[in-house]
């Protein structure tokens, strides 16, 4: 096993045989993502995709929470940073490009917004029974931009998808299991170990066979996904130019409920 040097607010990686482990490490901020971390996640996904000896990926997080989502002021506030994803890299949300290798995601505690979108961009999810899910972007005057608007549909169906996307409510691991977001629920602290076990079981199979199985399965849904992905720029245009977005971000900074006007 080899391990990269651990740093605060970083994406770390480990190699366990043919399993490539990607670790979100920003525990002090509930593993919220900075622009730099988003770029590092893309680099890690690209390494998984393009390294022949890495047959399966495991995405997990240190600490009691998977991720609170984006560190909003660093993306949208007056001190927002812009870290470009390298051209040709794998997209962690599988919008522009998707990792060819199977990905097992382990989640616990808070798993909000982009955390849900990342796990749904993978293949199999193991959740601790203390996991909490919420797609809350519209509570902040924006909208999901990482694929939730169509991946909720492919996993849960129209009614359950719209129920959670419209309410922007919080739901638990049992509910996530019921609607197909999660494949196994385990005791807190066991989620990463179980994800690694599943990954090692997958790695016993022929890697090419597994990869073409994923590729073939995606053929069934990729046309619909493309149309949904192509619509994301219009979503951005409509919400990013709205007064409601400004109010949503300001309310987040001021830690108060937003007052939206539909403008």
């Amino acid at each position: 096993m080899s391990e990269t040097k651990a740093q605060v607010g970083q994406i770390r990686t480990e190699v366990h045989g043919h399993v490539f482990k990607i670790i979100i490490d920003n525990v002090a901020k509930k593993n919220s993502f900075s622009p730099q971390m988003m770029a590092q996640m893309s680099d890690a996904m690209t390494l998984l995709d393009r390294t022949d000896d890495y047959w399966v990926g495991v995405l997990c997080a240190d600490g009691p929470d998977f991720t609170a989502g984006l560190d909003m002021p660093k993306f949208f506030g007056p001190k927002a940073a812009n870290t470009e994803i390298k051209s040709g890299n794998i997209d962690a949300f599988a919008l522009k490009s998707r990792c060819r290798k199977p990905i097992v995601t382990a989640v616990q505690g808070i798993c909000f917004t982009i955390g849900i979108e990342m796990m749904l961009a993978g293949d199999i999810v193991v959740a601790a029974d203390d996991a909490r899910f919420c797609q809350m972007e519209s509570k902040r005057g924006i909208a999901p931009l990482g694929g939730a608007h169509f991946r909720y549909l492919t996993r849960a169906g129209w009614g359950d998808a719209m129920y959670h996307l419209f309410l922007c409510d919080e739901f638990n691991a049992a509910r996530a299991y019921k609607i197909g977001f999660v494949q196994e629920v385990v005791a807190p602290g066991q989620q990463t170990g179980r994800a690694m076990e599943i990954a090692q079981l997958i790695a016993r199979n022929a890697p090419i066979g597994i990869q073409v199985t994923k590729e073939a399965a995606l053929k069934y849904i990729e046309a619909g996904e493309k149309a949904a992905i192509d619509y994301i720029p219009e979503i951005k245009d409509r919400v990013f130019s709205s007064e409601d977005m400004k109010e949503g971000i300001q309310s987040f900074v001021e830690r108060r409920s937003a007052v939206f006007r539909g403008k």
Side-chain angles (χ1 to χ4, degrees), residues 10-36:
Q10 300 289 313
I11 302 300
R12 300 188 289 108
T13 62
E14 299 174 0
V15 178
H16 299 256
H18 291 299
V19 176
F20 187 66
K21 188 177 182 183
I22 301 171
I23 306 156
I24 305 167
D25 182 5
N26 192 14
V27 178
K29 300 200 74 173
K30 298 185 183 296
N31 286 326
S32 60
F33 274 75
S34 66
Q36 293 80 10

mmCIF file of all heavy atoms in Angstrom, residues 10-36:
data_model
loop_
_atom_site.group_PDB
_atom_site.id
_atom_site.type_symbol
_atom_site.label_atom_id
_atom_site.label_comp_id
_atom_site.label_asym_id
_atom_site.label_seq_id
_atom_site.Cartn_x
_atom_site.Cartn_y
_atom_site.Cartn_z
ATOM 1 N N GLN A 10 -7.733 18.711 1.761
ATOM 2 C CA GLN A 10 -7.151 18.080 0.585
ATOM 3 C C GLN A 10 -7.946 16.827 0.202
ATOM 4 O O GLN A 10 -8.739 16.310 0.987
ATOM 5 C CB GLN A 10 -5.697 17.656 0.866
ATOM 6 C CG GLN A 10 -4.762 18.791 1.239
ATOM 7 C CD GLN A 10 -4.467 19.689 0.061
ATOM 8 O OE1 GLN A 10 -4.166 19.213 -1.026
ATOM 9 N NE2 GLN A 10 -4.554 20.993 0.272
ATOM 10 N N ILE A 11 -7.698 16.354 -1.003
ATOM 11 C CA ILE A 11 -8.145 15.032 -1.424
ATOM 12 C C ILE A 11 -6.934 14.118 -1.370
ATOM 13 O O ILE A 11 -5.924 14.372 -2.029
ATOM 14 C CB ILE A 11 -8.730 15.047 -2.849
ATOM 15 C CG1 ILE A 11 -9.911 16.027 -2.938
ATOM 16 C CG2 ILE A 11 -9.143 13.642 -3.267
ATOM 17 C CD1 ILE A 11 -11.067 15.727 -2.017
ATOM 18 N N ARG A 12 -6.991 13.085 -0.529
ATOM 19 C CA ARG A 12 -5.889 12.137 -0.394
ATOM 20 C C ARG A 12 -6.205 10.845 -1.132
ATOM 21 O O ARG A 12 -7.374 10.542 -1.394
ATOM 22 C CB ARG A 12 -5.633 11.818 1.087
ATOM 23 C CG ARG A 12 -5.280 13.025 1.922
ATOM 24 C CD ARG A 12 -4.858 12.633 3.323
ATOM 25 N NE ARG A 12 -5.964 12.139 4.136
ATOM 26 C CZ ARG A 12 -6.146 10.875 4.495
ATOM 27 N NH1 ARG A 12 -5.300 9.935 4.088
ATOM 28 N NH2 ARG A 12 -7.167 10.525 5.256
ATOM 29 N N THR A 13 -5.183 10.087 -1.448
ATOM 30 C CA THR A 13 -5.390 8.807 -2.123
ATOM 31 C C THR A 13 -4.523 7.726 -1.502
ATOM 32 O O THR A 13 -3.458 7.997 -0.954
ATOM 33 C CB THR A 13 -5.076 8.896 -3.632
ATOM 34 O OG1 THR A 13 -3.698 9.234 -3.811
ATOM 35 C CG2 THR A 13 -5.949 9.933 -4.320
ATOM 36 N N GLU A 14 -4.999 6.497 -1.592
ATOM 37 C CA GLU A 14 -4.263 5.319 -1.182
ATOM 38 C C GLU A 14 -4.448 4.234 -2.227
ATOM 39 O O GLU A 14 -5.472 4.201 -2.922
ATOM 40 C CB GLU A 14 -4.765 4.783 0.167
ATOM 41 C CG GLU A 14 -4.630 5.742 1.336
ATOM 42 C CD GLU A 14 -5.283 5.201 2.592
ATOM 43 O OE1 GLU A 14 -5.849 4.078 2.542
ATOM 44 O OE2 GLU A 14 -5.229 5.902 3.615
ATOM 45 N N VAL A 15 -3.466 3.344 -2.315
ATOM 46 C CA VAL A 15 -3.561 2.195 -3.218
ATOM 47 C C VAL A 15 -3.563 0.917 -2.385
ATOM 48 O O VAL A 15 -2.674 0.702 -1.567
ATOM 49 C CB VAL A 15 -2.385 2.175 -4.221
ATOM 50 C CG1 VAL A 15 -2.482 0.944 -5.124
ATOM 51 C CG2 VAL A 15 -2.381 3.449 -5.058
ATOM 52 N N HIS A 16 -4.580 0.092 -2.585
ATOM 53 C CA HIS A 16 -4.705 -1.194 -1.899
ATOM 54 C C HIS A 16 -4.837 -2.274 -2.970
ATOM 55 O O HIS A 16 -5.953 -2.579 -3.417
ATOM 56 C CB HIS A 16 -5.929 -1.207 -0.989
ATOM 57 C CG HIS A 16 -5.903 -0.172 0.092
ATOM 58 N ND1 HIS A 16 -5.625 -0.466 1.413
ATOM 59 C CD2 HIS A 16 -6.108 1.175 0.042
ATOM 60 C CE1 HIS A 16 -5.676 0.640 2.133
ATOM 61 N NE2 HIS A 16 -5.966 1.653 1.329
ATOM 62 N N GLY A 17 -3.728 -2.821 -3.417
ATOM 63 C CA GLY A 17 -3.783 -3.789 -4.512
ATOM 64 C C GLY A 17 -4.324 -3.119 -5.763
ATOM 65 O O GLY A 17 -3.764 -2.133 -6.248
ATOM 66 N N HIS A 18 -5.436 -3.656 -6.268
ATOM 67 C CA HIS A 18 -6.062 -3.069 -7.462
ATOM 68 C C HIS A 18 -7.148 -2.055 -7.117
ATOM 69 O O HIS A 18 -7.852 -1.576 -8.016
ATOM 70 C CB HIS A 18 -6.649 -4.184 -8.337
ATOM 71 C CG HIS A 18 -5.614 -5.055 -8.980
ATOM 72 N ND1 HIS A 18 -4.675 -4.567 -9.864
ATOM 73 C CD2 HIS A 18 -5.373 -6.383 -8.851
ATOM 74 C CE1 HIS A 18 -3.894 -5.552 -10.275
ATOM 75 N NE2 HIS A 18 -4.287 -6.671 -9.672
ATOM 76 N N VAL A 19 -7.292 -1.731 -5.838
ATOM 77 C CA VAL A 19 -8.316 -0.769 -5.410
ATOM 78 C C VAL A 19 -7.668 0.586 -5.123
ATOM 79 O O VAL A 19 -6.704 0.680 -4.362
ATOM 80 C CB VAL A 19 -9.063 -1.282 -4.162
ATOM 81 C CG1 VAL A 19 -10.066 -0.227 -3.671
ATOM 82 C CG2 VAL A 19 -9.782 -2.594 -4.470
ATOM 83 N N PHE A 20 -8.193 1.622 -5.737
ATOM 84 C CA PHE A 20 -7.700 2.989 -5.565
ATOM 85 C C PHE A 20 -8.690 3.736 -4.686
ATOM 86 O O PHE A 20 -9.859 3.907 -5.033
ATOM 87 C CB PHE A 20 -7.583 3.671 -6.930
ATOM 88 C CG PHE A 20 -6.921 5.020 -6.898
ATOM 89 C CD1 PHE A 20 -5.587 5.151 -6.555
ATOM 90 C CD2 PHE A 20 -7.633 6.162 -7.243
ATOM 91 C CE1 PHE A 20 -4.964 6.403 -6.532
ATOM 92 C CE2 PHE A 20 -7.024 7.411 -7.247
ATOM 93 C CZ PHE A 20 -5.687 7.530 -6.878
ATOM 94 N N LYS A 21 -8.222 4.160 -3.532
ATOM 95 C CA LYS A 21 -9.065 4.793 -2.524
ATOM 96 C C LYS A 21 -8.878 6.306 -2.565
ATOM 97 O O LYS A 21 -7.758 6.805 -2.475
ATOM 98 C CB LYS A 21 -8.694 4.244 -1.147
ATOM 99 C CG LYS A 21 -9.593 4.662 0.004
ATOM 100 C CD LYS A 21 -9.107 3.945 1.268
ATOM 101 C CE LYS A 21 -9.957 4.260 2.477
ATOM 102 N NZ LYS A 21 -9.402 3.597 3.691
ATOM 103 N N ILE A 22 -9.983 7.027 -2.685
ATOM 104 C CA ILE A 22 -9.972 8.489 -2.748
ATOM 105 C C ILE A 22 -10.663 9.012 -1.486
ATOM 106 O O ILE A 22 -11.813 8.646 -1.210
ATOM 107 C CB ILE A 22 -10.697 8.987 -4.010
ATOM 108 C CG1 ILE A 22 -10.037 8.419 -5.271
ATOM 109 C CG2 ILE A 22 -10.709 10.514 -4.056
ATOM 110 C CD1 ILE A 22 -10.814 8.686 -6.552
ATOM 111 N N ILE A 23 -9.971 9.877 -0.736
ATOM 112 C CA ILE A 23 -10.428 10.278 0.587
ATOM 113 C C ILE A 23 -10.614 11.795 0.651
ATOM 114 O O ILE A 23 -9.681 12.556 0.383
ATOM 115 C CB ILE A 23 -9.417 9.845 1.665
ATOM 116 C CG1 ILE A 23 -9.127 8.342 1.554
ATOM 117 C CG2 ILE A 23 -9.924 10.200 3.055
ATOM 118 C CD1 ILE A 23 -7.791 7.943 2.129
ATOM 119 N N ILE A 24 -11.814 12.228 1.010
ATOM 120 C CA ILE A 24 -12.093 13.641 1.236
ATOM 121 C C ILE A 24 -11.616 13.979 2.642
ATOM 122 O O ILE A 24 -12.024 13.346 3.613
ATOM 123 C CB ILE A 24 -13.591 13.937 1.099
ATOM 124 C CG1 ILE A 24 -14.122 13.457 -0.263
ATOM 125 C CG2 ILE A 24 -13.873 15.429 1.285
ATOM 126 C CD1 ILE A 24 -15.646 13.421 -0.341
ATOM 127 N N ASP A 25 -10.758 14.989 2.769
ATOM 128 C CA ASP A 25 -10.150 15.299 4.062
ATOM 129 C C ASP A 25 -10.166 16.805 4.317
ATOM 130 O O ASP A 25 -9.231 17.523 3.995
ATOM 131 C CB ASP A 25 -8.717 14.753 4.100
ATOM 132 C CG ASP A 25 -8.020 15.001 5.440
ATOM 133 O OD1 ASP A 25 -8.672 15.510 6.363
ATOM 134 O OD2 ASP A 25 -6.822 14.672 5.551
ATOM 135 N N ASN A 26 -11.285 17.248 4.861
ATOM 136 C CA ASN A 26 -11.398 18.639 5.323
ATOM 137 C C ASN A 26 -12.321 18.631 6.537
ATOM 138 O O ASN A 26 -13.333 19.331 6.593
ATOM 139 C CB ASN A 26 -11.942 19.538 4.212
ATOM 140 C CG ASN A 26 -11.806 21.012 4.530
ATOM 141 O OD1 ASN A 26 -11.083 21.396 5.441
ATOM 142 N ND2 ASN A 26 -12.511 21.850 3.785
ATOM 143 N N VAL A 27 -11.971 17.788 7.504
ATOM 144 C CA VAL A 27 -12.848 17.462 8.620
ATOM 145 C C VAL A 27 -13.275 18.697 9.398
ATOM 146 O O VAL A 27 -14.430 18.807 9.838
ATOM 147 C CB VAL A 27 -12.159 16.445 9.556
ATOM 148 C CG1 VAL A 27 -13.041 16.140 10.760
ATOM 149 C CG2 VAL A 27 -11.835 15.161 8.793
ATOM 150 N N ALA A 28 -12.366 19.644 9.565
ATOM 151 C CA ALA A 28 -12.670 20.839 10.356
ATOM 152 C C ALA A 28 -13.832 21.644 9.772
ATOM 153 O O ALA A 28 -14.508 22.375 10.497
ATOM 154 C CB ALA A 28 -11.430 21.724 10.470
ATOM 155 N N LYS A 29 -14.072 21.489 8.469
ATOM 156 C CA LYS A 29 -15.165 22.215 7.818
ATOM 157 C C LYS A 29 -16.208 21.248 7.273
ATOM 158 O O LYS A 29 -16.823 21.482 6.240
ATOM 159 C CB LYS A 29 -14.625 23.113 6.695
ATOM 160 C CG LYS A 29 -13.627 24.157 7.183
ATOM 161 C CD LYS A 29 -13.483 25.306 6.212
ATOM 162 C CE LYS A 29 -14.676 26.219 6.246
ATOM 163 N NZ LYS A 29 -14.481 27.434 5.419
ATOM 164 N N LYS A 30 -16.408 20.145 7.981
ATOM 165 C CA LYS A 30 -17.381 19.122 7.590
ATOM 166 C C LYS A 30 -17.147 18.633 6.164
ATOM 167 O O LYS A 30 -18.070 18.309 5.430
ATOM 168 C CB LYS A 30 -18.820 19.637 7.765
ATOM 169 C CG LYS A 30 -19.172 19.991 9.207
ATOM 170 C CD LYS A 30 -20.622 20.369 9.349
ATOM 171 C CE LYS A 30 -20.946 20.788 10.775
ATOM 172 N NZ LYS A 30 -20.769 19.692 11.738
ATOM 173 N N ASN A 31 -15.876 18.572 5.794
ATOM 174 C CA ASN A 31 -15.455 18.096 4.475
ATOM 175 C C ASN A 31 -16.082 18.879 3.321
ATOM 176 O O ASN A 31 -16.283 18.343 2.229
ATOM 177 C CB ASN A 31 -15.747 16.592 4.320
ATOM 178 C CG ASN A 31 -14.780 15.745 5.121
ATOM 179 O OD1 ASN A 31 -13.614 16.092 5.276
ATOM 180 N ND2 ASN A 31 -15.254 14.627 5.638
ATOM 181 N N SER A 32 -16.378 20.158 3.566
ATOM 182 C CA SER A 32 -16.869 20.997 2.473
ATOM 183 C C SER A 32 -15.749 21.214 1.462
ATOM 184 O O SER A 32 -14.567 21.220 1.801
ATOM 185 C CB SER A 32 -17.373 22.342 3.011
ATOM 186 O OG SER A 32 -16.339 23.036 3.680
ATOM 187 N N PHE A 33 -16.143 21.387 0.212
ATOM 188 C CA PHE A 33 -15.192 21.464 -0.890
ATOM 189 C C PHE A 33 -14.823 22.901 -1.230
ATOM 190 O O PHE A 33 -15.695 23.756 -1.396
ATOM 191 C CB PHE A 33 -15.787 20.811 -2.145
ATOM 192 C CG PHE A 33 -15.567 19.333 -2.234
ATOM 193 C CD1 PHE A 33 -16.303 18.471 -1.439
ATOM 194 C CD2 PHE A 33 -14.629 18.801 -3.103
ATOM 195 C CE1 PHE A 33 -16.117 17.105 -1.513
ATOM 196 C CE2 PHE A 33 -14.428 17.437 -3.179
ATOM 197 C CZ PHE A 33 -15.171 16.579 -2.384
ATOM 198 N N SER A 34 -13.534 23.138 -1.350
ATOM 199 C CA SER A 34 -13.008 24.366 -1.928
ATOM 200 C C SER A 34 -12.791 24.142 -3.421
ATOM 201 O O SER A 34 -12.787 22.995 -3.889
ATOM 202 C CB SER A 34 -11.670 24.724 -1.275
ATOM 203 O OG SER A 34 -10.693 23.734 -1.609
ATOM 204 N N PRO A 35 -12.590 25.199 -4.211
ATOM 205 C CA PRO A 35 -12.262 24.998 -5.628
ATOM 206 C C PRO A 35 -11.019 24.134 -5.814
ATOM 207 O O PRO A 35 -10.962 23.315 -6.738
ATOM 208 C CB PRO A 35 -12.038 26.425 -6.132
ATOM 209 C CG PRO A 35 -12.903 27.269 -5.250
ATOM 210 C CD PRO A 35 -12.801 26.627 -3.892
ATOM 211 N N GLN A 36 -10.017 24.298 -4.943
ATOM 212 C CA GLN A 36 -8.798 23.488 -5.057
ATOM 213 C C GLN A 36 -9.097 22.011 -4.843
ATOM 214 O O GLN A 36 -8.562 21.144 -5.543
ATOM 215 C CB GLN A 36 -7.758 23.967 -4.042
ATOM 216 C CG GLN A 36 -7.209 25.361 -4.298
ATOM 217 C CD GLN A 36 -8.135 26.481 -3.832
ATOM 218 O OE1 GLN A 36 -9.143 26.233 -3.138
ATOM 219 N NE2 GLN A 36 -7.811 27.706 -4.204
#
